[in-house]
Amino acid sequence: MAVRSTIMDTNSFRPGMEEGLDPETRAMAHEREVLGPAYRLFYRKPVHLVKGRGSRLWDADGVEYLDVYNNVASVGHCHPRVVEAITRQASMLNTHTRYLHENVLGYAEDILSTMPDEVNRIMFQCTGSEANDLAIRVAQTYTGGEGVIVTHEAYHGNSALTSKLSPALGTAQTLGLTMRMIPTPDTYRVDIDGTTGGDCTPEAFGAWMAGELKKQVEDMQRHGIPFAAFLADSIFSSDGVYPGPVGYLKPVIDMVHELGGVFIADEVQPGFTRTGDAFWGFQRHGVVPDLVTSGKPMANGLPTSLMAARSEVLEPFAGSIPYFNTFGGNPVCMAASQATLDVMRDEDTMGNAKRVGGIFMQVLRAFQAEHPCIGDLRGTGLYIACEIVKPGTKEADQQTALDILEALRDNHVLTSVCGRYGNILKLRPPLVFSEDDVDWFSDAFTTTLRQLGI
């Protein structure tokens, strides 16, 4: 039997859960059959949302929820500056990049200014899957290799190419014959010479991970597969959120380059000020990628993504193969992206992520001291993992994590789970999350843990 997808199935509504739903919700869930069986709904009791503002969402009955999940609406649901920018541009023109338009050129220069000087070319797409798909093609053309390395529970997209590099989709998804996996950088469980990963220096933990990567490249070579790229999200979101020790990626990327490959930084999750330490997640580790991809947070909900590159890495592909994406870089999405970037600067979302994220972590540590089911807390800025275990052990407790998730939903807080065992609460709210929002979460979490008796 296939293993379910850790990012799609763990917290999903499935056939047989209809009993107990109100008639309208049951009818809507039934009507979704027209979409086919591949789609997923969150929660045993799905949520019918109709409105959002900032970090808050409302359902069809007017019930207000706290959003502790969405990095899509990165500067908050329906931010008025983004809405105004979309409306203004949509009322004038929306076309594609085969015509000149100041929105795409202005945004291209502005977003590149947030990256290292070496990363000086950019192309636009609609989804993170498309961006990663293109980045892999560029990397393979530049290196002449095919082999791509990812982590054990990575997710990098749903195209034919990227899905084969996404083990988090579950065992029903076949993986590419030219890909290899290295272990999740699990600082909670990995032991290096008698020291738990979280207590290692960045150099020691990075050397362990670099060694694992080298083993897989050597295996590729034994099978006649030239190494092309290491594709990684620098906070390892789907693996379970592993942001530290800060700097541990540098030895890994040095090894990638030593072995003739390139580093593709998938910044869909850690980018756009999310970590509170830097605009891009990779910057925390003191590394310069060869290719950078991002998507969801870029335009506050509109389908927009990017692939940025060192010019010398892009040239072999772009100099010979034309690339065109009908909707990628369209003026409306570029207007939304620019407005989102402007809001991030003007409202200091990076500072807010660091300040409020620090307060959020302090509150969670107080819970950890009182509730032994919370085995580990890790994170940076407004991206926190709360790992649920069987008390007194490091054994993952998926069932309790899911019970917490469902009870939080009943207490009007929305979030999800991640990680290999589906036992990690993924706390990743919009970047406008406030101290009042932390208080709301704290009250709901208190009620949830009391109701569950844990």
Side-chain angles (χ1 to χ4, degrees):
M1 179 181 294
V3 176
R4 290 182 179 274
S5 164
T6 54
I7 60 168
M8 295 292 290
D9 289 311
T10 309
N11 172 33
S12 66
F13 174 85
R14 293 191 286 276
M17 294 182 175
E18 294 89 349
E19 190 172 342
L21 298 181
D22 64 83
E24 182 179 358
T25 302
R26 188 185 305 116
M28 289 187 73
H30 179 72
E31 287 170 13
R32 275 177 60 95
E33 290 180 3
V34 71
L35 302 177
Y39 280 94
R40 297 292 188 272
L41 279 168
F42 280 160
Y43 300 110
R44 299 165 193 160
K45 181 182 177 183
V47 186
H48 177 193
L49 297 174
V50 297
K51 187 176 75 170
R53 190 75 169 189
S55 59
R56 308 296 172 87
L57 295 161
W58 286 263
D59 71 12
D61 295 321
V63 176
E64 185 176 358
Y65 293 83
L66 180 67
D67 187 353
V68 194
Y69 174 75
N70 259 297
N71 75 324
V72 179
S74 53
V75 295
H77 296 277
C78 301
H79 193 289
R81 287 178 64 180
V82 181
V83 171
E84 194 278 330
I86 293 168
T87 304
R88 183 176 64 250
Q89 185 58 51
S91 71
M92 293 189 293
L93 174 74
N94 199 31
T95 181
H96 50 67
T97 54
R98 296 179 98 166
Y99 301 114
L100 291 172
H101 199 279
E102 56 272 13
N103 282 9
V104 67
L105 298 176
Y107 183 73
E109 291 180 0
D110 205 0
I111 196 64
L112 281 175
S113 74
T114 67
M115 298 188 188
D117 291 342
E118 296 91 333
V119 180
N120 56 5
R121 296 290 184 270
I122 193 164
M123 299 170 70
F124 296 108
Q125 302 80 39
C126 299
T127 67
S129 297
E130 290 177 330
N132 281 332
D133 191 294
L134 178 59
I136 294 158
R137 293 171 65 195
V138 169
Q140 290 175 333
T141 303
Y142 174 72
T143 61
E146 287 186 88
V148 179
I149 290 178
V150 299
T151 50
H152 194 281
E153 205 62 31
Y155 173 73
H156 294 294
N158 56 25
S159 69
L161 179 55
T162 57
S163 63
K164 291 182 182 298
L165 300 170
S166 298
L169 288 174
T171 58
Q173 170 61 57
T174 57
L175 298 176
L177 296 177
T178 60
M179 69 86 75
R180 296 291 186 274
M181 293 180 290
I182 60 173
T184 290
D186 187 344
T187 48
Y188 184 47
R189 294 181 177 85
V190 168
D191 184 280
I192 301 170
D193 297 327
T195 302
T196 301
D199 294 326
C200 287
T201 64
E203 294 77 15
F205 195 73
W208 165 78
M209 194 169 175
E212 295 296 318
L213 183 138
K214 186 176 182 181
K215 290 177 191 175
Q216 295 307 314
V217 172
E218 290 171 346
D219 184 68
M220 283 179 176
Q221 292 169 343
R222 281 195 297 271
H223 289 83
I225 303 167
F227 176 43
F230 174 49
L231 172 59
D233 152 6
S234 58
I235 204 169
F236 299 93
S237 311
S238 297
D239 284 273
V241 189
Y242 298 96
V246 175
Y248 77 87
L249 269 184
K250 190 174 188 313
V252 182
I253 306 313
D254 287 345
M255 180 63 73
V256 169
H257 289 146
E258 181 182 324
L259 296 171
V262 298
F263 171 41
I264 304 171
D266 181 341
E267 290 287 314
V268 171
Q269 306 264 13
F272 286 92
T273 78
R274 170 66 52 184
T275 68
D277 292 330
F279 194 93
W280 300 104
F282 64 79
Q283 291 170 326
R284 300 175 63 246
H285 291 282
V287 299
V288 178
D290 302 286
L291 295 151
V292 180
T293 61
S294 195
K296 284 184 285 196
M298 229 175 122
N300 212 48
L302 264 65
T304 310
S305 64
L306 65 82
M307 185 209 70
R310 296 175 185 252
S311 57
E312 67 273 18
V313 174
L314 180 61
E315 177 58 30
F317 176 89
S320 58
I321 302 174
Y323 177 85
F324 177 60
N325 186 308
T326 301
F327 298 109
N330 72 75
V332 170
C333 283
M334 291 293 94
S337 298
Q338 186 65 64
T340 301
L341 182 56
D342 291 343
V343 168
M344 287 177 174
R345 289 181 175 130
D346 294 346
E347 298 186 8
D348 188 20
T349 55
M350 185 159 67
N352 188 68
K354 190 173 188 68
R355 183 179 64 83
V356 177
I359 294 168
F360 199 0
M361 183 65 86
Q362 288 177 355
V363 167
L364 289 166
R365 292 208 184 284
F367 278 105
Q368 184 183 30
E370 298 294 327
H371 299 274
C373 65
I374 301 175
D376 193 32
L377 290 167
R378 52 187 179 267
T380 179
L382 284 171
Y383 209 145
I384 297 173
C386 177
E387 181 145 358
I388 306 302
V389 298
K390 294 181 179 178
T393 76
K394 291 186 178 183
E395 184 180 348
D397 191 345
Q398 182 187 97
Q399 188 55 57
T400 297
L402 293 178
D403 289 344
I404 291 172
L405 198 69
E406 296 291 339
L408 280 172
R409 176 250 184 270
D410 292 339
N411 290 309
H412 306 154
V413 170
L414 305 179
T415 191
S416 189
V417 292
C418 64
R420 182 178 185 180
Y421 308 106
N423 68 309
I424 300 166
L425 301 181
K426 181 169 64 174
L427 308 176
R428 183 196 56 183
L431 294 169
V432 294
F433 210 63
S434 68
E435 290 184 57
D436 287 344
D437 294 331
V438 174
D439 289 342
W440 179 331
F441 179 89
S442 180
D443 290 344
F445 204 36
T446 298
T447 301
T448 291
L449 296 176
R450 183 178 66 246
Q451 288 172 338
L452 296 175
I454 55 177

